[in-house]
Amino acid sequence: MLKRRTFLLGGAGAVGALLVGWSVLPPGQRLTTAAPLRVQGSQVALNGWVKIAADNSVTIMMCKAEMGQGIHTGLAMLLAEELDADWSQVRVEDSPIDKIYNSLQTVVDDLPFRPDDDSAVKRATVWITRKLVREAGTMMTGGSSSINDLWLPMREAGASARAMLIGAAAAQWKVPPGECRTESGQVLHPSGRKASFGELSALAAQQPLPRKVALKDPGEFKLIGKPVRRVEAASKINGTARFGIDALPDGLLYASVVMCPTLGGTVANFDATSAANMPGFIKGFAVAPYNGGSGAIAVIADNPFRAMNAVKAIKVDWHEGAASKVSSASVNSRLAQALDDSDGHAYYHRGDVDAALHGAARTLTAEYRAPYLAHGAVEPVNCTVQVTDGAATVWLSTQVPALARQHVAKVLDLDADKVDMHTLLLGGAFGRRLELDFVAQAAAIAREGGGRPVQTLWSRAQDFTHDFYRPACVSRLKAGLDKDGKLVAWQSTSTSQAIVPESLARYYGVPRIPIDKTTSEGAFDQPYEWPAARVAHKIVELPVPVGFWRSVGHSHQAFFTESFTDELAAATGQDPIAFRAALLARHPRHLAVLKRVAALSEWGRPLTHAADGAPRARGVALHEAFGSVVAQVAEVSLGPNQQIRVHRVVCVIDCGLPVNPNLIRQQMESGIVFGLSSALQNEITIEEGKVKQENFVDFPVVRMNDCPVIETDIMPSQLHPQGVGEPGVPPIVPAVANAVFALTGKRLRALPLKLT
């Protein structure tokens, strides 16, 4: 008889062997869905990514949210390229929720490794992470990862479907498949026979799924690399595009909410008597806080304006909660205290930085600050839900459809398969639509709708004052220089709240993890070859909701790192570009981008004055984020009242193989304008737990008349495509700050940048 100890040891060994065996197997396939795709009319699905109909239309499934970044076009190009589809016949359709659409690259990118780390530990961790996320991850659009993540799966799906179409034609013509080729939606044979994909689609669906397919060499690309027009552009021009706010199911009711003015607060009691007598009023009630949000009063009415008016008439007493004692001043004090008390967790450590600093001929120190920031997406927060007959239907603009479905199901006590999701276009997001507070809230409100669909729509004030903000952050930097002005030591310690632990707690209810790579990204993962360095971060917990904001940690860490690098160049009397170049000897890709931006911006050539006679100056910044390397040179002058004006921005990007130059340029321009708004104008301030900014008048964005000329150059490359949506944001802030220093001699170390 086996002893218990022997059994446990043997069982543990078996489990260990199974885990080892599982870990060396390739990641699960990403080609076929668990359930067949829904088809209409003559459509047939050749795999989980493409359907072809008898009319020769090609429908490509999209698991990523289109929020203005053009991803539906970029991804469709990948599949259409390998399929050899006629681009004029290509359509896109939102995919169902399935494991093959899980976002792998986003999670991989959040692992705490530097980009130039090629260690066995990193390779093994990435391998296992991909396998885990393939099975247990979720569908998500974020982290500028969509093209990177689906570069191979969508091309393989196109090549697989192409092989099946060729197989169908060859079987019909009784010729070897190798004699056939494809071109512009047709299968062709040297004998002159030809058939359209539509004619072959039904037979192709009967072909076996190829075990392995050969992908095109980049020299054979006909679509990839071309400035193809966006697939959704026409619908946005003619007004047929449908965003979340455009959901209009039959019998629609509307809900408006007023949330506790203090972040995280709840309803104590309320009196809806006055509101109940107003036109269109149907029901008023309290709503609990969901997924990190605040409690609210809601009113359902027969149109949105009546709902907005009625909810304002309700008298409410609030439980203010822990945030009532929080102010911007107390946050800054708490962050400074954290740096006084701790050296933080080191995300990068090279050499003996203390000894190098002690032996330096000269040391410099600086402290930089960045405030909380709101997302400020143009489309207000909204979600439409109908609850009836033990099921729910959701019309929603979201970056996380699978998670949204799960949380709607949880609120309504339903199985997830009883929730039907309709994902619409997003009118901007920048990370805000990764959150689930408004989705769960809308489900709870719709439960009171008597079976009719209810659209919950937030006012702009509710959106700004109940966001999940870019964390406020403070960084202290110290560097050592030798007698010749060469950098010998770099030390950076920052502190802020951590987004990933708080998000995982909101999404999954898991305990907060103690580290978060995104807090230090843009600081520890840069290419500069510091002889000795320590880059660390200290996490603090505060009752202010924080979330992913376009470019996340890079958005402020680039300001800290690139501004302080510029300080070192100035302190040693060196040219800012030459100083950086000396630290990039083993990073030719970055060095090439830096040299290119210098050439295109005519760095070193004197600038003419602005139109009003004001002198101008240049500033430079180089930054790697989401796999892409971006350098920017900004030209600035000062206007009345010391207003910082940006006249021209030269931007160079190496994002690997450029899939669609149009999309890349659009995203660089978008990122620069977005970043300029944060550089010059934006901050969220808090008093007694209440956010003061309520609209764009308080949180202004760069307008057309203030927008600089933007020139974007794309470096040629055959490397795996990398991120584009976010890498344009981080460099613009330090480029402007460095230009202001070159112009005025004043070093601005806090955002937004102000000279008065």
Side-chain angles (χ1 to χ4, degrees):
M1 183 175 179
L2 289 174
K3 293 182 179 179
R4 182 173 181 270
R5 176 179 173 83
T6 304
F7 176 78
L8 289 173
L9 288 173
V15 170
L18 285 172
L19 287 173
V20 170
W22 172 82
S23 69
V24 299
L25 292 173
Q29 62 85 25
R30 300 182 74 185
L31 206 59
T32 58
T33 50
L37 291 180
R38 295 178 183 175
V39 294
Q40 293 181 331
S42 62
Q43 283 183 333
V44 295
L46 299 187
N47 53 55
W49 298 93
V50 61
K51 301 185 290 189
I52 299 179
D55 64 359
N56 216 32
S57 62
V58 174
T59 301
I60 298 175
M61 308 309 295
M62 287 294 157
C63 61
K64 301 295 184 180
E66 178 57 71
M67 45 190 161
Q69 80 279 42
I71 198 59
H72 283 187
T73 305
L75 291 176
M77 288 171 65
L78 303 185
L79 193 148
E81 176 69 72
E82 296 290 348
L83 180 61
D84 274 337
D86 178 351
W87 183 252
S88 68
Q89 296 291 319
V90 169
R91 312 287 184 267
V92 298
E93 179 182 316
D94 287 312
S95 73
I97 294 172
D98 190 274
K99 289 181 179 180
I100 71 165
Y101 307 123
N102 285 352
S103 179
L104 277 59
Q105 191 62 41
T106 309
V107 180
V108 168
D109 286 345
D110 277 342
L111 296 172
F113 296 104
R114 283 167 55 95
D116 53 7
D117 182 347
D118 193 33
S119 65
V121 172
K122 179 181 178 179
R123 291 195 299 271
T125 305
V126 168
W127 178 261
I128 292 174
T129 299
R130 285 187 178 278
K131 287 176 59 63
L132 286 170
V133 177
R134 166 63 181 83
E135 299 302 321
T138 192
M139 293 169 60
M140 179 169 61
T141 308
S144 295
S145 64
S146 296
I147 293 288
N148 189 343
D149 187 36
L150 298 177
W151 169 248
L152 288 179
M154 295 206 79
R155 291 177 64 204
E156 288 167 352
S160 177
R162 176 177 173 272
M164 294 166 72
L165 289 160
I166 287 176
Q172 189 177 53
W173 299 335
K174 295 182 173 54
V175 298
E179 293 182 359
C180 300
R181 65 182 181 87
T182 53
E183 183 179 334
S184 194
Q186 293 184 318
V187 178
L188 309 171
H189 187 264
S191 66
R193 291 174 176 171
K194 62 181 180 180
S196 71
F197 288 176
E199 293 169 333
L200 295 167
S201 57
L203 290 174
Q206 300 172 24
Q207 291 281 314
L209 196 68
R211 287 179 173 269
K212 191 174 182 180
V213 291
L215 301 180
K216 289 183 180 180
D217 182 90
E220 302 175 276
F221 289 160
K222 298 175 182 177
L223 275 175
I224 294 176
K226 302 297 189 295
V228 177
R229 291 182 180 179
R230 290 165 62 148
V231 295
E232 88 284 9
S235 67
K236 290 178 176 177
I237 293 170
N238 64 30
T240 59
R242 288 293 174 262
F243 298 83
I245 203 170
D246 296 319
L248 296 171
D250 291 341
L252 182 63
L253 299 175
Y254 295 87
S256 186
V257 296
V258 170
M259 283 168 283
C260 179
T262 304
L263 294 167
T266 58
V267 176
N269 53 71
F270 68 97
D271 180 358
T273 303
S274 297
N277 295 322
M278 298 178 72
F281 177 93
I282 294 174
K283 193 171 188 179
F285 47 93
V287 184
Y290 288 99
N291 299 93
S294 301
I297 288 291
V299 163
I300 298 175
D302 59 1
N303 75 43
F305 305 102
R306 286 176 167 178
M308 290 177 190
N309 289 331
V311 77
K312 292 176 184 176
I314 295 179
K315 298 176 181 178
V316 191
D317 294 322
W318 304 100
H319 282 308
E320 293 188 330
S324 63
K325 298 180 180 179
V326 173
S327 67
S328 294
S330 69
V331 168
N332 289 334
S333 176
R334 177 71 181 87
L335 296 177
Q337 188 64 47
L339 289 176
D340 291 339
D341 295 343
S342 172
D343 292 333
H345 171 79
Y347 287 86
Y348 179 62
H349 201 168
R350 177 185 175 90
D352 190 337
V353 70
D354 290 332
L357 286 169
H358 181 74
R362 182 182 181 187
T363 59
L364 279 80
T365 61
E367 180 173 295
Y368 282 82
R369 293 178 174 270
Y372 289 111
L373 290 177
H375 293 87
V378 173
E379 182 185 9
V381 168
N382 67 89
C383 179
T384 303
V385 183
Q386 183 173 20
V387 184
T388 181
D389 299 327
T393 304
V394 183
W395 294 265
L396 176 64
S397 298
T398 181
Q399 295 172 251
V400 282
L403 277 174
R405 183 177 71 168
Q406 292 173 18
H407 283 263
V408 168
K410 180 180 178 181
V411 169
L412 299 176
D413 195 22
L414 299 172
D415 292 334
D417 60 5
K418 294 294 185 181
V419 179
D420 186 18
M421 298 291 297
H422 296 268
T423 305
L424 295 100
L425 296 173
L426 284 64
F430 316 120
R432 181 62 177 98
R433 264 63 172 185
L434 288 168
E435 300 299 336
L436 301 161
D437 57 318
F438 66 97
V439 182
Q441 181 195 72
I445 291 171
R447 185 171 49 199
E448 307 297 323
R452 294 174 66 178
V454 180
Q455 183 178 100
T456 299
L457 177 64
W458 289 16
S459 69
R460 187 67 70 188
Q462 297 301 311
D463 190 354
F464 268 105
T465 57
H466 294 85
D467 201 347
F468 289 77
Y469 304 97
R470 199 275 303 274
C473 186
V474 177
S475 180
R476 291 178 183 167
L477 301 105
K478 188 174 185 179
L481 301 160
D482 69 12
K483 60 182 178 60
D484 297 319
K486 292 179 62 176
L487 183 70
V488 296
W490 176 280
Q491 182 174 281
S492 165
T493 308
S494 55
T495 181
S496 71
Q497 291 168 260
I499 299 168
V500 170
E502 294 194 22
S503 296
L504 291 177
R506 295 196 293 266
Y507 295 163
Y508 302 109
V510 299
R512 285 178 168 81
I513 58 177
I515 61 172
D516 176 3
K517 171 253 188 185
T518 69
T519 59
S520 190
E521 64 185 4
F524 86 96
D525 50 4
Q526 293 309 292
Y528 294 125
E529 295 151 13
W530 302 309
R534 184 181 190 272
V535 181
H537 187 87
K538 171 63 178 176
I539 294 174
V540 298
E541 293 192 9
L542 294 163
V544 178
V546 294
F548 296 98
W549 190 90
R550 191 176 185 180
S551 75
V552 202
H554 294 281
S555 67
H556 46 274
Q557 292 287 3
F559 169 55
F560 307 155
T561 299
E562 281 298 285
S563 293
F564 192 57
T565 299
D566 222 65
E567 287 199 53
L568 300 180
T572 56
Q574 298 181 61
D575 175 81
I577 285 184
F579 186 84
R580 287 169 170 81
L583 296 171
L584 295 170
R586 297 187 300 276
H587 290 80
R589 183 180 175 219
H590 302 75
L591 188 56
V593 171
L594 185 64
K595 289 181 176 179
R596 182 66 174 161
V597 82
L600 293 177
S601 66
E602 299 182 306
W603 185 267
R605 177 177 292 184
L607 278 167
T608 59
H609 286 195
D612 60 358
R616 293 190 296 172
R618 297 186 185 93
V620 65
L622 172 75
H623 195 77
E624 179 175 358
F626 307 96
S628 293
V629 181
V630 179
Q632 293 171 4
V633 169
E635 298 177 4
V636 308
S637 73
L638 299 182
N641 302 316
Q642 298 289 286
Q643 174 194 358
I644 299 169
R645 304 179 300 188
V646 184
H647 298 274
R648 179 185 181 220
V649 177
V650 178
C651 174
V652 176
I653 179 171
D654 182 340
C655 56
L657 192 151
V659 172
N660 186 326
N662 273 356
L663 301 181
I664 296 168
R665 289 191 175 90
Q666 289 166 7
Q667 285 305 293
M668 290 303 101
E669 292 168 4
S670 166
I672 288 167
V673 172
F674 192 84
L676 276 176
S677 298
S678 70
L680 302 176
Q681 301 172 161
N682 294 163
E683 65 179 321
I684 288 295
T685 55
I686 302 171
E687 292 181 14
E688 297 181 338
K690 302 176 180 67
V691 171
K692 306 304 292 181
Q693 289 73 22
E694 295 188 349
N695 211 320
F696 289 112
V697 68
D698 311 310
F699 196 84
V701 297
V702 170
R703 299 191 176 193
M704 292 293 288
N705 60 318
D706 296 320
C707 187
V709 173
I710 300 174
E711 302 167 13
T712 300
D713 186 71
I714 304 166
M715 298 288 282
S717 176
Q718 295 299 318
L719 297 177
H720 190 107
Q722 300 296 321
V724 169
E726 294 167 277
V729 176
I732 188 59
V733 182
V736 171
N738 294 337
V740 171
F741 174 79
L743 183 66
T744 66
K746 296 180 180 179
R747 181 64 62 179
L748 303 180
R749 298 191 181 98
L751 296 176
L753 303 172
K754 294 179 181 178
L755 283 165
T756 56

